[in-house]
Amino acid sequence: MPGEKSRGEIGEIRTQLNALSASGSRPEAATAKKELFKKVINCMTIGIDMSSLFMQVMTAGMSNAEDVVLKKMLYLFICTYAQSNPDLTLLTINLLNKDCKDQDPTIRGLALRSLCSLRVANLIEYIVSPVSLALQDRNPYVRRTAVLGVLKIYNLDAAAVRNAGMLEDLHDMLQKDPDAQVVANCMSVLLETGSGQSLVTRALVISLLNRIKDFSEWAQCQVLEFAAHYRPSGEQEVYDFMNVLDDRLSHSNSAVVMATVKMFLHYTLTMPATHQQVLERIKDPLMTLLSRDHFETAFAVLCHFHLIAQRAPIIFSQIYTTFYCRINEPSYIKFLKLDILAAIADETNAYDIATELTEYVNDIDEKLARKAIRTVGKIALEVQDVPGLVERLLGFLDIGKDFVTAETIVQVKDLARKYPDIAEVCVGSVSNISLEDVEEPQARAAFIWILGEHGQTIQDAPYLLEACAQGFTNEETQVQLAMLSAVMKLFFKRPPECQQLLGATLAAAAAEPSQDVHDRALLYYRLLHYNVQEARRVVAAPVPPIARFAEEQSPEQRDRIFDELNTLAVVYRQPSSAFTNAAPPHKEEEDEGLIGAGAGIAVAAAAAPVTAPAVAVDEGSSLLSHDEQQEAFFADPTANGAAPAVLPAPPPSAPAPAMDFLGLDDLLAGTGLAPTPQPQQPPAPPPLQLRPQPQLSPQVFQQKWGALTNITKFQHSLSPSAMAFIEGNKHQDFCKKVTAANIAVMASGGAPPTYRFYFHSQRADRETRILVESIVDKNTSAIQVTIKAEDSSSPEQFQRLYQHLLGGLQ
């Protein structure tokens, strides 16, 4: 058995360690200890728990204090099992503190690094003093280790670091320490702890940039990132900095080059002429990075090329051939190059680029061919005045490949939407295609859109759509929606030919399980019955040319990404806020745990009425506590004296007028679409009335929340004024508003972008309790509400009352 074998090996190692500990520090014993320690570490590496040998390893290792190799293995063992054996780890503190004062700097550095790597919060008090002394050590290796040790302590106990003045010591070392690596470590720690940006001064930046060649490549990147936070006082200072760093643009390390490029571009943003010169200056260094054989580096550089080309395409318009694809390049490089070609295309090079892309359409790589077609279409959208571009695109329809035809139809549709004056040429080429030859859903939807929008010029348009109507149920949802819209538009242009087609399409769509398709069919049918001219105005109104497609990146977003140059934001093509979370995502199961028996509500006098609007809640036991510090409010409804909240009943809706338009009712008979007599609506239920001053202890609240099964959930969108009202005055105004409706506040609070509120109320006509959880998300401007009650009818009635209350926030 593996477990028995492991236990047997551990017992054998324990016996050998005891024997070697008794043998003292003889040279032959030291050699045997090394071999045995290697065996212990090997067992640790393959996942065997060796923590039971903690005392034996300690005893054996301490007898050969002068052996550096043995100490390294001993320190590794201690750091590995320190967290699982905090009591035994305490016994090693004296050994590590003693070694921190050893005359050998290597021993001092190793001991200090191990001491800071114990990761036991209870031992912080024993670590702070050795680290503070090591920051003043005469040996740079020890100082480097001590600086990084400050960050390890900070992650365990930030207050201990601040109280010991270590951050101030690091700031002094950042300016005065003669060792470049120590300075780099100080800078890393200060930036990591959030203390670096506030310390950026002109003198410090000049000092770091003047000695930048002394730093390692990684440290140079940190220096440049650190200096990028500084804002020069004038143009002359910008020129001085760029002169100092000009040689960094020729550095062999791509990270250093990119960090320098970022600094140059950001420093000259307010100097348009100089900024243009900088763009010209960085072109050659970036091209040099592209010429290397490292495709991963080339991809990162090309991402920056793409971003810069979108801001200043004229800079790269004359070197467009550089971005032609090579046969040995991976697909992700080729795709990115096509994006750059589309960004830098203008009247002088668009036709040449389209000619090159035409060759890629015949490539064996289908994805590259599709990308090439989309790129030609994008260039045709952006550069309209170049003759031959549209003909290049339409020529792809003659290639005879299904995927080429499909991609081309999609691009032709976009061209017709943006440039109606060339729509006739595009539609004429597409009209010769049979809908049966187009199989991809997106292409079918685009082709159907063309038939509906320009059906008056396509003679066979109604008959082409009939084939699609016969197989309506087999189409994808996007094709069905496009079919509904196209048939409606074509009906207003050619009524006699499309009446039967429209009836069949509406009938088939109304029977679809897709809610979107079903609802649109009913919308169109009721529009026709209500008013024909209104239906024409809604469905077939003239559409203005498209100025910018929604899929395109907005200039504002590009500017935000440009501010984060030389980061993953450029690679992902979105600001860092889009793919990083400042707070952990909200999970509903976590809320259930918060309210459940495992999470108590720490309230001192919960049963008594509380008049103060806010009471601090213990973070460890708060109903609302997460990673962030939160607060709670326990409002008193007795002070308001408000009458029971009453939600006004909505007025009865007038019956929709029924009329037969071109015999549609006859055509749709039996399909469920024809108007049917509506049964008399039952009287509206009485409005919900709530009892003033409901009383409920936190303990009962949490018990009922976990036990109640009558649940209603809904989401309500909040206007900007409503969101401001909820956030204002530390949520007190919102809590008072809710309390005025006889809804008591159990707890509330939170930290941006998420706020949480827990309410309870009681019906005036019975003893039914109603519990409410409301979670406000500032990012989406919405409130997610969960209602639980002791009967089945109360949640729905309370929902109407609560929605009415939320709608009145301002």
Side-chain angles (χ1 to χ4, degrees):
M1 296 293 291
E4 295 177 356
K5 182 179 178 181
S6 299
R7 287 195 293 271
E9 289 180 355
I10 293 175
E12 180 182 347
I13 294 174
R14 179 183 288 107
T15 302
Q16 295 178 9
L17 285 172
N18 289 332
L20 290 173
S21 298
S23 64
S25 58
R26 298 194 305 270
E28 58 274 12
T31 304
K33 288 178 184 178
K34 290 180 184 178
E35 296 300 324
L36 193 57
F37 272 41
K38 290 179 182 179
K39 188 174 182 180
V40 171
I41 293 174
N42 182 58
C43 292
M44 292 164 50
T45 305
I46 62 178
I48 299 176
D49 184 11
M50 308 296 288
S51 60
S52 60
L53 302 178
F54 201 95
M55 288 302 301
Q56 288 78 12
V57 172
M58 282 290 304
T59 305
M62 292 172 64
S63 59
N64 292 83
E66 69 284 351
D67 195 316
V68 177
V69 177
L70 199 60
K71 276 189 177 293
K72 285 185 177 180
M73 291 188 284
L74 174 62
Y75 293 159
L76 176 60
F77 182 89
I78 292 173
C79 294
T80 302
Y81 294 111
Q83 286 183 298
S84 59
N85 297 273
D87 295 334
L88 294 178
T89 304
L90 182 61
L91 303 177
T92 67
I93 294 296
N94 289 334
L95 170 65
L96 294 172
N97 278 332
K98 178 182 176 182
D99 288 346
C100 286
K101 301 175 183 178
D102 195 277
Q103 296 199 5
D104 187 350
T106 303
I107 297 293
R108 295 201 302 273
L110 286 174
L112 189 65
R113 184 174 63 183
S114 302
L115 191 64
C116 296
S117 301
L118 294 180
R119 299 187 298 276
V120 179
N122 295 335
L123 303 180
I124 291 295
E125 56 182 313
Y126 303 104
I127 303 175
V128 171
S129 179
V131 172
S132 297
L133 293 175
L135 290 175
Q136 314 300 328
D137 197 279
R138 61 185 180 277
N139 189 276
Y141 168 70
V142 180
R143 296 199 302 275
R144 297 172 195 168
T145 306
V147 170
L148 296 180
V150 171
L151 181 59
K152 296 178 182 178
I153 301 174
Y154 186 89
N155 291 332
L156 288 175
D157 190 348
V161 173
R162 295 192 181 96
N163 294 336
M166 291 184 180
L167 295 180
E168 290 76 9
D169 293 340
L170 295 187
H171 185 224
D172 293 338
M173 296 172 65
L174 185 64
Q175 297 177 331
K176 302 175 182 178
D177 199 282
D179 187 77
Q181 191 58 48
V182 173
V183 173
N185 289 358
C186 290
M187 189 164 43
S188 298
V189 173
L190 289 173
L191 289 174
E192 190 75 18
T193 57
S195 307
Q197 296 184 13
S198 60
L199 302 177
V200 178
T201 62
R202 181 176 184 275
L204 180 58
V205 171
I206 291 176
S207 173
L208 293 174
L209 295 183
N210 283 334
R211 57 184 302 193
I212 192 169
K213 296 180 181 179
D214 299 334
F215 293 99
S216 64
E217 294 175 344
W218 177 257
Q220 289 184 35
C221 296
Q222 291 178 308
V223 169
L224 293 169
E225 184 67 28
F226 187 81
H229 295 294
Y230 174 71
R231 290 293 171 263
S233 59
E235 295 187 4
Q236 186 57 46
E237 192 171 26
V238 172
Y239 294 139
D240 292 340
F241 287 159
M242 289 195 295
N243 288 334
V244 171
L245 297 174
D246 187 69
D247 61 333
R248 298 298 92 188
L249 292 174
S250 304
H251 201 279
S252 59
N253 187 289
S254 58
V256 176
V257 176
M258 295 308 302
T260 308
V261 167
K262 175 182 179 179
M263 189 172 174
F264 278 26
L265 291 176
H266 283 184
Y267 273 10
T268 58
L269 275 176
T270 58
M271 306 160 58
T274 306
H275 192 74
Q276 189 76 8
Q277 295 176 5
V278 168
L279 290 172
E280 292 284 355
R281 175 67 182 87
I282 66 176
K283 182 167 59 176
D284 290 338
L286 294 180
M287 296 299 298
T288 302
L289 295 179
L290 285 182
S291 63
R292 300 176 183 175
D293 295 330
H294 304 289
F295 292 127
E296 294 79 6
T297 301
F299 179 79
V301 175
L302 283 172
C303 288
H304 287 78
F305 256 120
H306 182 241
L307 177 63
I308 297 172
Q310 289 177 309
R311 292 172 59 90
I314 193 173
I315 299 297
F316 309 107
S317 60
Q318 301 303 317
I319 57 171
Y320 62 91
T321 56
T322 306
F323 303 105
Y324 285 173
C325 298
R326 301 176 183 176
I327 192 172
N328 64 328
E329 290 176 336
S331 57
Y332 58 87
I333 294 290
K334 293 178 180 179
F335 293 167
L336 191 50
K337 282 189 171 183
L338 295 187
D339 289 337
I340 296 174
L341 287 173
I344 64 177
D346 57 21
E347 292 79 1
T348 63
N349 57 25
Y351 189 80
D352 293 338
I353 293 175
T355 302
E356 175 70 15
L357 295 176
T358 303
E359 301 296 326
Y360 303 158
V361 175
N362 297 312
D363 195 273
I364 193 174
D365 185 353
E366 180 180 328
K367 292 182 179 180
L368 179 61
R370 289 177 179 269
K371 182 70 173 179
I373 296 172
R374 290 195 291 268
T375 304
V376 173
K378 188 174 182 180
I379 294 174
L381 287 171
E382 298 298 329
V383 190
Q384 181 194 10
D385 298 333
V386 176
L389 276 182
V390 177
E391 288 73 13
R392 284 282 187 187
L393 183 63
L394 297 177
F396 298 152
L397 296 173
D398 301 328
I399 292 180
K401 296 181 180 179
D402 292 341
F403 73 88
V404 174
T405 301
E407 287 290 346
T408 305
I409 291 175
V410 175
Q411 301 307 315
V412 168
K413 184 236 347 181
D414 291 341
L415 273 175
R417 291 177 65 193
K418 189 169 184 178
Y419 303 116
D421 53 333
I422 64 172
E424 184 175 353
V425 177
C426 298
V427 170
S429 300
V430 174
S431 60
N432 298 324
I433 302 174
S434 174
L435 189 58
E436 297 178 355
D437 298 334
V438 183
E439 298 181 355
E440 297 182 13
Q442 186 178 7
R444 287 178 69 85
F447 187 63
I448 291 171
W449 180 90
I450 293 173
L451 294 177
E453 194 71 27
H454 303 279
Q456 71 278 10
T457 61
I458 303 176
Q459 183 177 0
D460 296 334
Y463 312 105
L464 291 173
L465 291 176
E466 281 182 0
C468 184
Q470 292 174 1
F472 189 87
T473 57
N474 299 324
E475 299 289 353
E476 297 289 337
T477 300
Q478 61 175 324
V479 179
Q480 292 175 342
L481 293 173
M483 182 70 181
L484 278 170
S485 299
V487 170
M488 278 289 288
K489 293 177 181 178
L490 197 57
F491 173 76
F492 289 113
K493 298 171 183 176
R494 301 165 69 170
E497 299 173 90
C498 297
Q499 178 175 322
Q500 187 75 24
L501 174 62
L502 178 60
T505 303
L506 290 176
E512 278 296 308
S514 172
Q515 196 65 41
D516 291 338
V517 177
H518 175 80
D519 290 352
R520 185 175 293 188
L522 292 182
L523 170 66
Y524 287 163
Y525 178 75
R526 290 166 181 166
L527 274 174
L528 291 171
H529 271 278
Y530 176 72
N531 188 291
V532 180
Q533 297 305 322
E534 286 298 316
R536 181 192 297 271
R537 186 182 64 83
V538 172
V539 179
V543 179
I546 301 295
R548 186 175 66 87
F549 290 93
E551 296 81 4
E552 297 178 5
Q553 200 173 53
S554 65
E556 294 78 11
Q557 189 175 25
R558 286 201 295 267
D559 291 340
R560 292 176 60 190
I561 298 174
F562 185 80
D563 293 337
E564 302 181 59
L565 208 66
N566 198 30
T567 66
L568 282 177
V570 180
V571 177
Y572 291 157
R573 300 189 186 182
Q574 52 185 340
S576 60
S577 58
F579 56 87
T580 57
N581 290 324
H586 168 71
K587 296 182 180 179
E588 186 171 334
E589 56 267 22
E590 294 177 359
D591 293 335
E592 299 294 336
L594 287 172
I595 305 288
I601 308 175
V603 184
V610 183
T611 57
V615 176
V617 177
D618 179 29
E619 171 66 19
S621 61
S622 173
L623 178 73
L624 301 170
S625 61
H626 259 289
D627 294 337
E628 69 279 355
Q629 179 63 37
Q630 300 187 349
E631 58 186 345
F633 302 104
F634 297 89
D636 178 19
T638 61
N640 299 296
V646 178
L647 180 66
S653 57
M659 59 181 297
D660 184 12
F661 178 65
L662 297 180
L664 277 176
D665 285 348
D666 295 335
L667 290 172
L668 302 177
T671 65
L673 282 175
T676 57
Q678 297 296 324
Q680 185 176 2
Q681 296 294 330
L688 178 66
Q689 296 187 359
L690 302 177
R691 182 175 302 178
Q693 306 177 15
Q695 301 294 328
L696 190 66
S697 68
Q699 293 78 13
V700 176
F701 183 96
Q702 67 180 16
Q703 292 172 2
K704 287 183 175 294
W705 185 268
L708 294 176
T709 57
N710 298 309
I711 304 174
T712 294
K713 297 182 179 181
F714 69 92
Q715 180 171 305
H716 184 86
S717 298
L718 298 172
S719 64
S721 60
M723 179 61 68
F725 182 83
I726 293 176
E727 291 186 290
N729 198 16
K730 297 183 178 180
H731 315 302
Q732 295 189 44
D733 295 339
F734 176 58
C735 291
K736 290 179 180 178
K737 179 85 172 180
V738 174
T739 305
N742 293 331
I743 304 173
V745 183
M746 177 60 66
S748 68
T754 304
Y755 306 104
R756 301 182 180 186
F757 304 88
Y758 294 91
F759 308 124
H760 67 93
S761 59
Q762 187 174 6
R763 294 188 62 139
D765 56 347
R766 65 190 79 162
E767 298 297 325
T768 300
R769 297 280 185 179
I770 304 173
L771 311 182
V772 185
E773 176 195 54
S774 300
I775 301 174
V776 179
D777 189 341
K778 187 176 180 180
N779 290 337
T780 60
S781 296
I783 181 170
Q784 187 76 32
V785 182
T786 301
I787 305 172
K788 296 186 178 183
E790 295 175 336
D791 60 21
S792 58
S793 61
S794 295
E796 183 178 352
Q797 293 178 330
F798 187 88
Q799 176 181 346
R800 293 197 296 270
L801 185 148
Y802 196 54
Q803 285 178 323
H804 179 70
L805 186 148
L806 293 174
L809 296 180
Q810 57 181 2

